[in-house]
DNA sequence: CGGTATCCGTTGTGATACTG
DNA sequence: CAGTATCACAACGGATACCG
């Protein structure tokens, strides 16, 4: 039997810091991670390629987010010692397993974000 | 046909700010939302009850997070004008639809967080 | 090319005091 | 009981300059 978010969310303490769902949100909940994972979905990318494809990301945040993903074993960094140096980033097998939960999030968004937006407008008009 | 995170993540601009997956992460990616949704999973709760059940949450963050969920139509707030006043919070039908994506996140966490933790240790030992 | 280092504004969160 | 108001502080992220 699989536990529900409801059950596990309240099973742990203190601060429920080890709620499993909170842990993955710490991992993918930031501004850039899902965009990088998305960009690496089909094939590996060079650093500069990622920078171009992900509009608005700074060099700092691209490096920082990639380092985090590499540290967690979700992305593999490969350096080809050519001149100039070439660095390729690719999802690992573990990284690919993110597909299912990310897909679930995306499907919810597509199905419900219109309602959420309407609810916000109604709420703001009311008060 | 359903789009993948990979495809949709890079379709939009600028900053890919309207990637659907990013939008739901803006909604549930904070520190307290999933814990509150979890606490409301089976039944409605009073304000003080939520405060007791969710260890470590401050009054400010509980209020603030509940207001956001109410504004988005995911939680319904009901005031019973007794003395002293009683306020009940419950998930709406829309709020209950979060079950599927939250469950997917939780299953990933349970299946993979051990590997992630091991990868972190290996990475930190290496460098 | 693929980074690091530094500075700095913004945002998220917590502590505390007060209120209808 | 269920909040609101205010202050303080740390983390996040962007801009810029520099480097192997």
């Amino acid at each position: 039997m699989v536990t529900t978010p409801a059950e596990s969310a309240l099973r742990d303490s203190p601060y429920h810091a080890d709620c499993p769902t909170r842990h993955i949100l710490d991992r993918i909940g930031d501004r850039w991670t899902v965009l990088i994972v998305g960009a690496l979905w089909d094939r590996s990318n060079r650093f500069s390629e990622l920078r171009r494809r992900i509009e608005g990301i700074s060099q700092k945040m691209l490096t920082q987010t990639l380092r985090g993903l590499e540290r967690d074993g979700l992305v593999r960094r490969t350096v080809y010692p050519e001149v100039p140096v070439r660095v390729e980033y690719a999802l690992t097998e573990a990284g690919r397993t993110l597909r299912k939960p990310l897909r679930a999030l995306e499907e919810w968004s597509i199905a419900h974000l219109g309602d959420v937006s309407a609810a916000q407008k109604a709420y703001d008009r009311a008060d």
Side-chain angles (χ1 to χ4, degrees), chain A:
Chain A
M1 172 197 167
V2 180
T3 58
T4 65
E7 296 163 55
S8 66
L10 292 173
R11 194 172 43 217
D12 307 309
S13 65
Y15 286 37
H16 304 301
D18 47 356
C19 163
T21 307
R22 283 287 320 123
H23 270 103
I24 182 177
L25 288 172
D26 283 340
R27 168 68 274 179
I28 66 166
D30 64 63
R31 187 165 175 185
W32 299 112
T33 293
V34 298
L35 298 175
I36 292 178
V37 171
L40 295 176
W41 209 256
D42 325 43
R43 57 177 183 83
S44 70
N45 280 239
R46 301 184 59 164
F47 185 87
S48 52
E49 194 175 12
L50 284 172
R51 205 177 169 191
R52 259 181 298 108
R53 294 183 69 196
I54 303 174
E55 255 181 271
I57 195 169
S58 65
Q59 197 165 40
K60 171 185 171 178
M61 290 316 297
L62 181 52
T63 300
Q64 186 173 301
T65 309
L66 284 169
R67 288 292 175 280
L69 287 166
E70 190 194 356
R71 177 171 184 260
D72 290 352
L74 303 173
V75 158
R76 178 173 33 254
R77 177 176 184 268
T78 311
V79 182
Y80 297 92
E82 309 166 352
V83 184
V85 65
R86 180 165 60 96
V87 181
E88 292 273 356
Y89 291 93
L91 288 180
T92 62
E93 277 311 304
R96 289 187 206 294
T97 63
L98 285 169
R99 181 178 194 112
K100 202 170 156 188
L102 288 182
R103 184 83 158 241
L105 289 177
E106 186 180 43
E107 285 172 5
W108 189 94
S109 294
I110 292 171
H112 298 284
L113 280 181
D115 297 341
V116 168
S117 181
Q120 289 176 355
K121 288 198 180 82
Y123 184 94
D124 294 344
R125 225 177 316 110
D127 95 318

